[in-house]
Amino acid sequence: MIDAGVLEDPHVDAVFGMHVGSDTPSGQIKYRSGAALASADFCYITIHGKGGHGAAPHLSIDPVVVGAHVIVALQTIVARNLDPVETGVVTVGMMGAGEANNVIPDSAELRLTIRAFSPAVRDMLERRVTEIATTVSEAFGATADVDYQRGYPPTINDEAYTALVAEVAAEVVGPENSGVAAAKMAGEDFSYFLEERPGSFFFVGTRNEEKG
C-alpha cells in the first residue's frame, strides 16, 4: 500500500490504527506511547552433519545433538548479551530431523522467531543468533546455514498523537474505561505506516466472559 502511494494520494499527515484486544474487557480502550509492539523476525537454521547408523555414532556427526547445543546456547543471548533493562525474545519454535529411531540423519532444521522493541537490540539479536548457530555447529564438526529474515519493524507510537487517542478514548468510553496498554512482544504490520508518518496504534477491548 505504501509503495502504491496510499500515503501520498492524498497526502497523509498522521496515521491511526486499532486492533481488537482479547485480553482487554469489551468496552475499554487501551493505548501506549513509544514502543507498543515488537519487531518480528524469522530465522531458519539448517545444521549439516554426517549421517550414520544409530549404533555407530562415532562414525557420524550427529546434527540432532548439535542442534540441541545450538538451542541451549541461543537462550544465553537474552540472558547474557542483552542489557537487563532492554527486552528481547529468541524462541525456537520448531526442530526437525530424521525419520527413524536407529538412523542418525544428515541434517537438522531449526525455525525461530526473534522479537525486539529497539533497532539496536534487533541488530544485536540477528548478529548473535547467526554467530552462535555457526560457531557452535563448527565446534562439533558440523556446519550451519543461517537464513535470517527481517519481518515487521517495531510499532512505535508518537507521544503527541497517542495523547490525542487518550483524550478521545476518555470522551467515547469514559476515563474509567480507558488507560495505558502493556507493551507486548507481538508484531504488527501497521508499524510500516508508523515508520513513514507519526501516529498511534491502539487497542479496543473484546473480552467478554459472559459470552465466552
Side-chain angles (χ1 to χ4, degrees), residues 1 3 9 27 29 35 90 97 108 135 137 139 154 170 206 212:
M1 293 171 66
D3 290 343
D9 185 21
I29 295 176
V90 177
T135 58
S137 295
T206 58

Short mmCIF file of all heavy atoms in Angstrom, two decimals, residues 1 3 9 27 29 35 90 97 108 135 137 139 154 170 206 212:
data_model
loop_
_atom_site.label_atom_id
_atom_site.label_comp_id
_atom_site.label_asym_id
_atom_site.label_seq_id
_atom_site.Cartn_x
_atom_site.Cartn_y
_atom_site.Cartn_z
N MET A 1 0.82 -1.21 0.00
CA MET A 1 0.00 0.00 0.00
C MET A 1 0.86 1.26 0.00
O MET A 1 0.55 2.24 -0.70
CB MET A 1 -0.93 -0.01 1.21
CG MET A 1 -2.01 -1.10 1.18
SD MET A 1 -2.93 -1.24 2.73
CE MET A 1 -3.78 0.35 2.79
N ASP A 3 3.97 1.47 -1.11
CA ASP A 3 4.61 1.52 -2.43
C ASP A 3 3.64 2.02 -3.49
O ASP A 3 4.04 2.66 -4.47
CB ASP A 3 5.14 0.14 -2.82
CG ASP A 3 6.33 -0.28 -1.98
OD1 ASP A 3 6.95 0.61 -1.35
OD2 ASP A 3 6.64 -1.48 -1.95
N ASP A 9 -1.50 10.04 -1.92
CA ASP A 9 -2.62 10.38 -2.81
C ASP A 9 -3.93 9.99 -2.17
O ASP A 9 -4.47 8.92 -2.43
CB ASP A 9 -2.43 9.65 -4.14
CG ASP A 9 -3.51 10.06 -5.16
OD1 ASP A 9 -4.11 11.14 -4.99
OD2 ASP A 9 -3.73 9.30 -6.11
N GLY A 27 -15.53 -2.85 25.71
CA GLY A 27 -15.93 -1.52 26.15
C GLY A 27 -14.79 -0.66 26.62
O GLY A 27 -14.98 0.52 26.91
N ILE A 29 -10.75 0.88 26.02
CA ILE A 29 -9.76 1.25 25.00
C ILE A 29 -8.42 1.45 25.70
O ILE A 29 -8.34 2.14 26.72
CB ILE A 29 -10.17 2.53 24.25
CG1 ILE A 29 -11.45 2.28 23.44
CG2 ILE A 29 -9.04 3.01 23.34
CD1 ILE A 29 -11.99 3.52 22.74
N ALA A 35 7.24 2.47 22.19
CA ALA A 35 7.20 1.10 21.68
C ALA A 35 6.02 0.35 22.28
O ALA A 35 5.96 0.11 23.48
CB ALA A 35 8.50 0.38 22.02
N VAL A 90 14.05 -14.65 21.91
CA VAL A 90 14.58 -15.60 20.94
C VAL A 90 13.89 -16.94 21.21
O VAL A 90 14.17 -17.59 22.22
CB VAL A 90 16.12 -15.76 21.05
CG1 VAL A 90 16.61 -16.82 20.07
CG2 VAL A 90 16.82 -14.43 20.80
N ALA A 97 14.32 -33.27 12.43
CA ALA A 97 15.46 -34.04 11.96
C ALA A 97 15.09 -35.52 11.92
O ALA A 97 14.42 -36.03 12.82
CB ALA A 97 16.67 -33.85 12.87
N ALA A 108 19.66 -31.26 10.39
CA ALA A 108 18.58 -30.89 11.30
C ALA A 108 18.21 -29.44 11.02
O ALA A 108 19.06 -28.63 10.63
CB ALA A 108 19.01 -31.05 12.76
N THR A 135 29.10 -20.96 14.92
CA THR A 135 30.29 -21.35 15.69
C THR A 135 30.05 -22.58 16.55
O THR A 135 30.95 -23.42 16.71
CB THR A 135 30.78 -20.19 16.56
OG1 THR A 135 29.73 -19.77 17.45
CG2 THR A 135 31.21 -19.01 15.71
N SER A 137 27.99 -25.01 15.84
CA SER A 137 27.98 -26.12 14.89
C SER A 137 29.40 -26.51 14.50
O SER A 137 29.74 -27.71 14.45
CB SER A 137 27.17 -25.75 13.65
OG SER A 137 25.81 -25.53 13.96
N ALA A 139 32.08 -26.14 16.20
CA ALA A 139 32.76 -26.76 17.34
C ALA A 139 32.52 -28.27 17.39
O ALA A 139 33.35 -29.02 17.93
CB ALA A 139 32.31 -26.11 18.64
N PRO A 154 9.40 -2.74 14.77
CA PRO A 154 8.63 -2.46 15.99
C PRO A 154 7.59 -1.37 15.74
O PRO A 154 7.76 -0.50 14.89
CB PRO A 154 9.70 -2.00 16.99
CG PRO A 154 10.87 -1.60 16.16
CD PRO A 154 10.83 -2.43 14.93
N ALA A 170 -11.19 8.72 26.31
CA ALA A 170 -11.87 9.11 27.55
C ALA A 170 -13.23 9.73 27.26
O ALA A 170 -14.19 9.54 28.01
CB ALA A 170 -10.99 10.08 28.33
N THR A 206 -12.25 -6.62 23.56
CA THR A 206 -13.31 -7.51 23.07
C THR A 206 -13.58 -8.66 24.03
O THR A 206 -14.40 -9.54 23.75
CB THR A 206 -12.95 -8.10 21.70
OG1 THR A 206 -11.71 -8.81 21.81
CG2 THR A 206 -12.82 -7.02 20.64
N GLY A 212 -18.34 -15.94 26.63
CA GLY A 212 -17.33 -16.96 26.37
C GLY A 212 -16.20 -16.50 25.48
O GLY A 212 -15.61 -17.33 24.80
#
